[in-house]
């Protein structure tokens, strides 16, 4: 089929929407290492996890063997309000770059929360409702996850308590108010509402907060309140499972036109969109049916895969969550205050960490000014104003397309466009005003984070 016959947007029919999530772990020969109880250093059991997480989500977290999991009917119904998401052929970008490469992006920004996070938020809210819970607690950094969860909780009539990193709470009033519009209560973190929040405030008065600290507070709030559980928007294997809808749809759209991707690129914070996007392609690679390159893109100011250590570490600053074996910069690592592009989590999904460690996935890091430049070029050429996070993938996709221009190779590049950037205009402002720098942590900066990694690693 010639390239001309491929439309700008490949839509799936509603009837072609995937009805199952894909669990990559079932296909992995080397499984990701289990979450450990920090007290006993034994793998977390279903019962232990169920204290913090909803029962069914705890089960999904531990399930490494079921390859396909039916998406419950009520979740499918909600998905149909904003899915299937289009796979867009970036014809205008190709033309502008004068590249023989064929570039596609999967656009996840077509919902009010503005990102892919809603795919997992609705699943997690559903299982909380199914269990008869009153509500859920969570943390949010920039606010995308909190917004998605607020929407999902509103739909199922659940109470939603969001611990929002204080600096974002103060600097991102619009996100905060969207969450409140959907009925969530939003608490600046660190707060006086939890033991860990009070402790952090006592030790670091005037702190602007961090994601790790907000996680500690949200977990504490969930386990100390009757009828509440904690939910997390990234990193966990259950979240990658829900996000596999992105990849399964992408694969279905490509298959419709017999397109075989050569490179799949996604930005990586905790790894959920990328883990979801690559799920069917990892499966095919593991089954020997594909030799497609898979590329994770991270900010050079928070380089967990490219400069982190593959060890057991805490998922939060307060050291109350289970230990996860992952590429990490240390739970105490905080990116430079100048960092504006999101993707600031210190660790990486244990599934993606394992794939990277085993050479099944690559990783690159990019500088934030290059990312914002790529974001604006993209907005001017393809129309969509991307989230800074998504622009990491754009930057790398463009780099790969330019390599094709030099070599003359007609590679097919697919990248994940995870969301829109309307709520990130302060970051864009910094870029426009020339106030954005490219700080990269020195070896000594990284060492400070590594020093906080628990001493249980052999
Ligand atoms: C949260 C977010 C990310 C990063 O999270 P992952 O779990 O790594 O996918 C990327 N893009 C957008 C738009 C986000 O909101």
């Amino acid at each position: 089929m010639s390239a001309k016959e491929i439309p700008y947007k490949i839509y799936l029919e509603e009837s072609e929407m995937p009805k199952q999530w894909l669990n990559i772990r079932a296909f992995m020969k080397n499984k990701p290492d289990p979450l450990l109880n920090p007290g006993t250093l034994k793998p977390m059991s279903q019962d232990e996890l169920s204290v913090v997480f909803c029962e069914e989500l705890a089960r999904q977290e531990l399930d490494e063997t079921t390859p396909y999991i039916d998406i419950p009917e009520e979740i499918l119904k909600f998905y149909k309000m904003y899915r299937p998401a289009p796979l867009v052929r970036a014809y205008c970008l190709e033309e502008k770059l004068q590249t023989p490469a064929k570039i596609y992006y999967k656009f996840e920004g077509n919902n009010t929360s503005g990102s892919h996070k809603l795919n997992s938020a609705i699943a997690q809210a559903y299982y909380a409702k199914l269990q008869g819970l009153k509500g859920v607690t969570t943390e949010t950094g920039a606010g995308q996850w909190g917004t998605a969860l607020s929407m999902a909780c509103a739909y199922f009539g659940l109470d939603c308590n969001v611990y929002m990193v204080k600096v974002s709470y103060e600097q991102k009033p619009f996100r905060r108010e969207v969450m409140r519009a959907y009925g969530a209560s939003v608490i600046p973190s660190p707060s006086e509402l939890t033991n860990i929040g009070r402790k952090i405030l006592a030790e670091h008065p005037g702190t602007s907060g961090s994601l790790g600290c907000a996680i500690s507070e949200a977990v504490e709030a969930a386990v100390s309140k009757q009828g509440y559980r904690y939910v997390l928007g990234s990193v966990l294997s259950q979240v990658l499972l829900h996000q596999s809808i992105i990849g399964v749809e992408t694969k279905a759209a490509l298959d419709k036109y017999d397109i075989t991707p050569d490179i799949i690129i996604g930005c990586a914070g905790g790894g959920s969109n990328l883990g979801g996007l690559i799920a069917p392609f990892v499966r095919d690679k593991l089954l020997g049916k594909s030799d497609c390159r898979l590329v994770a893109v991270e900010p050079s100011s928070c380089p967990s895969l490219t400069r982190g250590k593959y060890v057991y570490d805490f998922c939060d600053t307060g050291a109350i969550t289970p230990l996860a074996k992952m590429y990490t910069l240390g739970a105490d690592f905080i990116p430079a205050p100048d960092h504006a592009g999101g993707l600031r989590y210190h660790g990486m999904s244990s599934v993606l960490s394992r794939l990277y460690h085993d050479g099944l996935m690559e990783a690159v890091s990019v500088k934030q000014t290059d990312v914002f430049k790529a974001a604006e070029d993209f907005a001017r050429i393809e129309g969509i104003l991307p989230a800074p996070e998504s622009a990491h993938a754009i930057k790398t996709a463009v780099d790969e397309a330019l390599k094709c221009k030099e070599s003359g190779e007609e590679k097919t590049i697919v990248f994940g466009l995870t969301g829109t950037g309307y709520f990130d205009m302060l970051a864009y402002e910094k870029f426009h005003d020339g106030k954005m720098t490219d700080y990269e942590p020195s070896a000594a900066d990284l060492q400070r984070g590594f020093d906080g990694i628990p001493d249980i690693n052999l």
Side-chain angles (χ1 to χ4, degrees), residues 346-361:
H346 68 275
M348 185 57 62
S349 138
S350 62
V351 175
L352 292 191
S353 290
R354 183 36 108 179
L355 293 173
Y356 178 61
H357 198 69
D358 290 348
L360 286 154
M361 185 183 85

Side-chain angles (χ1 to χ4, degrees), residues 322-344:
L323 294 159
K325 175 90 176 272
M326 58 185 175
Y327 278 86
T328 178
L329 298 168
D332 296 334
F333 178 83
I334 296 180
D338 179 49
H339 174 74
L343 310 174
R344 47 170 52 241

